[in-house]
Amino acid sequence: MRAADGGPKLRKWYGAPDLPPKDEIEETRNAVLVTDGESEIGQSLVGVLNDKTFLTKTLRGVRAIICASDDGFFSDVARTKGVNHIVLLSQLRYYKGSGGFQAIMNSKARELADRDEKAVITAGVPYTLIRTGLLQSVPSGDHAFSFSKGDAAKGNLSKEDAAVFCVEALESPPEEGLIFQVANGEEKVTDWKVKFAALIEGTGVLQ
């Protein structure tokens, strides 16, 4: 055991400095929580969060949350306390655009996605809501995109590209909220900061 890992007596014996107060540790923590980390997108970005005690501890000091799946994570808005940026991937537009048997199959996912979107928008925390086309486990190819209205309802987006959007969104948090649609297309993004600045200002963004 190292002195730094032991209690106060052991630390004093080895001449190690005192640990900062617990509250100070939590205030200075600069962490990003990725929900559903065992999923394909979660693994591309970096837990299973069903244990409420574990979740409460995990969220202490977290500055940002990336929610990469439609799982109803934000049904409890209290979970966002202390968070200053939320990035949410949502396939709600795709679910709403599906019909017939596919619509029946997607009904539960649609309900959870709708709940998450509403919770994030009303949480009072700056958010980036990325409405994607159908997320697919395919190679990202040319990393080219389309941001036109209706893309999320009829288009597709590779999960690898979706992970890229989540990471880049962290570097460009909006003052209040940003909502845009995206699917794989023909536009290549060469400067992510410029692209997100344009999206935030409303240039070419259609919800």
Side-chain angles (χ1 to χ4, degrees):
M1 175 185 288
R2 299 175 303 168
D5 297 327
K9 290 185 178 180
L10 184 61
R11 294 175 58 79
K12 184 176 181 180
W13 178 267
Y14 281 98
D18 292 333
L19 290 172
K22 181 179 178 182
D23 291 343
E24 184 177 334
I25 293 175
E26 292 177 358
E27 288 179 2
T28 58
R29 185 180 177 194
N30 189 26
V32 176
L33 172 66
V34 180
T35 72
D36 199 21
E38 74 280 5
S39 68
E40 290 182 61
I41 296 178
Q43 291 176 4
S44 295
L45 289 164
V46 209
V48 179
L49 300 174
N50 293 328
D51 187 322
K52 291 186 178 181
T53 301
F54 169 73
L55 179 61
T56 300
K57 292 180 180 179
T58 301
L59 284 171
R60 288 176 183 166
V62 168
R63 70 173 176 86
I65 296 175
I66 294 177
C67 191
S69 64
D70 302 309
D71 57 6
F73 177 80
F74 293 105
S75 58
D76 180 2
V77 181
R79 294 178 175 184
T80 62
K81 183 179 180 181
V83 175
N84 56 35
H85 188 199
I86 297 172
V87 179
L88 174 64
L89 282 181
S90 174
Q91 296 181 85
L92 182 59
R93 285 296 181 271
Y94 168 75
Y95 296 143
K96 286 186 174 181
S98 61
F101 181 72
Q102 193 65 41
I104 297 175
M105 293 291 291
N106 292 334
S107 61
K108 181 61 177 179
R110 172 177 172 172
E111 177 185 339
L112 293 175
D114 184 55
R115 187 187 306 172
D116 271 350
E117 281 203 14
K118 290 177 179 177
V120 167
I121 291 173
T122 60
V125 177
Y127 63 88
T128 301
L129 173 49
I130 307 172
R131 290 175 171 159
T132 73
L134 175 63
L135 293 174
Q136 295 186 318
S137 302
V138 297
S140 61
D142 295 332
H143 295 285
F145 312 99
S146 176
F147 300 88
S148 300
K149 185 175 182 179
D151 282 347
K154 63 184 179 181
N156 305 315
L157 184 69
S158 77
K159 292 181 178 181
E160 184 179 335
D161 283 332
V164 171
F165 268 96
C166 289
V167 172
E168 297 297 341
L170 289 176
E171 300 300 319
S172 302
E175 290 186 7
E176 295 182 3
L178 167 63
I179 303 174
F180 65 93
Q181 294 188 29
V182 63
N184 284 119
E186 298 181 356
E187 178 183 341
K188 292 188 177 181
V189 178
T190 57
D191 190 320
W192 286 98
K193 288 188 178 298
V194 170
K195 184 59 184 180
F196 270 97
L199 290 170
I200 291 172
E201 293 177 8
T203 304
V205 57
L206 297 170
Q207 301 177 14

